[in-house]
Amino acid sequence: MTGHATTRLTAGGGAGSGTGDGGAGEPTVPGQGSAPGPAGGPPEDRRHRNRRRWLTAIVIVLLIGIPAGYLVISAAQSRDSGRDKEVESSATGLQNLRPSKMKRRVFEVPIPDGATDVRYFETSNWRTSRLYVQFDVTSGRLDTFLSELGTSRSDLRAGDLTISPRDREAVGWNFDIPGHDWAGTSNRQPSPRPSQDIIVDLTDPGFPRVFVVSTTTA
């Protein structure tokens, strides 16, 4: 009886001992014991490095070259503009052209739409600039022009030659021709706004001719 119990206990002990020696042992955690990967990416090969250097060089060239190109173009345009102004300044007498919108705005000469035979001439020095303008309009558009200028037909005085002999000579205007119905007025404005002297040839009332000298003083 006692021997059987001892045998069972021994077997049980043996079984327990076998489990401790022959079992799977402590469980392992996945990845335990593996070496950590490198902190950065893979080493840069020569081909990739050369490509990166080329891209950097192209970007630098563009950053330097594009502004330089704009400077060259701007300088060329400035030279061309300067030549145009030199040609204009050296011209004598009226030019058979309509003055630019900027000139009309600066000198406050609102040439009406539909005006014909438009001519102009500009002179300037360090202190005074003058714009001489001549054009033909209908009677109705003459009223519009005078109104936009700040005056009216009622301000025109028959025979009043408001444009000075000096200004007439500058562009070859002759108001001494007999048989013409001349009328004039002046529009004085405080500096720096321009002032205008106007003479209108009303010989043909339906299609008057307008003569204007607008003067700005620094």
Side-chain angles (χ1 to χ4, degrees), residues 170-191:
V171 290
W173 285 336
N174 183 5
F175 300 118
D176 296 325
I177 303 173
H180 284 259
D181 186 7
W182 308 108
T185 187
S186 295
N187 180 44
R188 294 287 175 259
Q189 301 187 108
S191 183

Side-chain angles (χ1 to χ4, degrees), residues 3-217:
H4 288 297
T6 303
T7 303
R8 289 194 190 95
L9 289 172
T10 304
S17 176
T19 303
D21 297 335
E26 294 295 328
T28 59
V29 179
Q32 182 178 2
S34 61
E44 186 178 35
D45 59 22
R46 179 177 300 176
R47 181 179 178 183
H48 187 272
R49 183 169 61 253
N50 291 341
R51 183 182 179 188
R52 179 172 55 80
R53 288 176 177 173
W54 272 107
L55 289 175
T56 302
I58 291 171
V59 170
I60 292 173
V61 169
L62 291 176
L63 290 175
I64 296 174
I66 290 177
Y70 278 121
L71 289 175
V72 171
I73 293 172
S74 177
Q77 290 176 340
S78 297
R79 286 196 300 269
D80 291 341
S81 176
R83 292 191 190 103
D84 292 342
K85 289 189 177 295
E86 287 176 4
V87 171
E88 181 177 310
S89 298
S90 64
T92 56
L94 294 168
Q95 301 177 63
N96 192 18
L97 296 169
R98 181 183 290 261
S100 68
K101 185 178 293 186
M102 179 176 291
K103 289 185 189 296
R104 283 177 275 159
R105 185 183 300 117
V106 169
F107 286 95
E108 297 186 21
V109 180
I111 301 173
D113 293 335
T116 59
D117 198 19
V118 181
R119 302 180 183 187
Y120 87 97
F121 180 61
E122 182 183 2
T123 63
S124 61
N125 56 39
W126 66 274
R127 187 172 181 273
T128 304
S129 297
R130 288 183 175 85
L131 183 70
Y132 301 78
V133 182
Q134 167 187 323
F135 56 88
D136 297 342
V137 288
T138 61
S139 179
R141 284 176 174 164
L142 171 63
D143 291 329
T144 301
F145 167 74
L146 293 172
S147 175
E148 291 181 354
L149 201 61
T151 184
S152 67
R153 188 186 288 260
S154 63
D155 293 326
L156 293 173
R157 298 179 296 274
D160 192 359
L161 303 179
T162 53
I163 296 176
S164 70
R166 175 192 175 279
D167 287 332
R168 298 180 217 172
E169 184 179 356
V171 290
W173 285 336
N174 183 5
F175 300 118
D176 296 325
I177 303 173
H180 284 259
D181 186 7
W182 308 108
T185 187
S186 295
N187 180 44
R188 294 287 175 259
Q189 301 187 108
S191 183
R193 295 187 63 184
S195 295
Q196 297 86 15
D197 294 309
I198 307 105
I199 293 178
V200 182
D201 185 356
L202 295 170
T203 306
D204 183 349
F207 294 94
R209 173 165 290 181
V210 181
F211 306 84
V212 184
V213 179
S214 181
T215 305
T216 61
T217 304

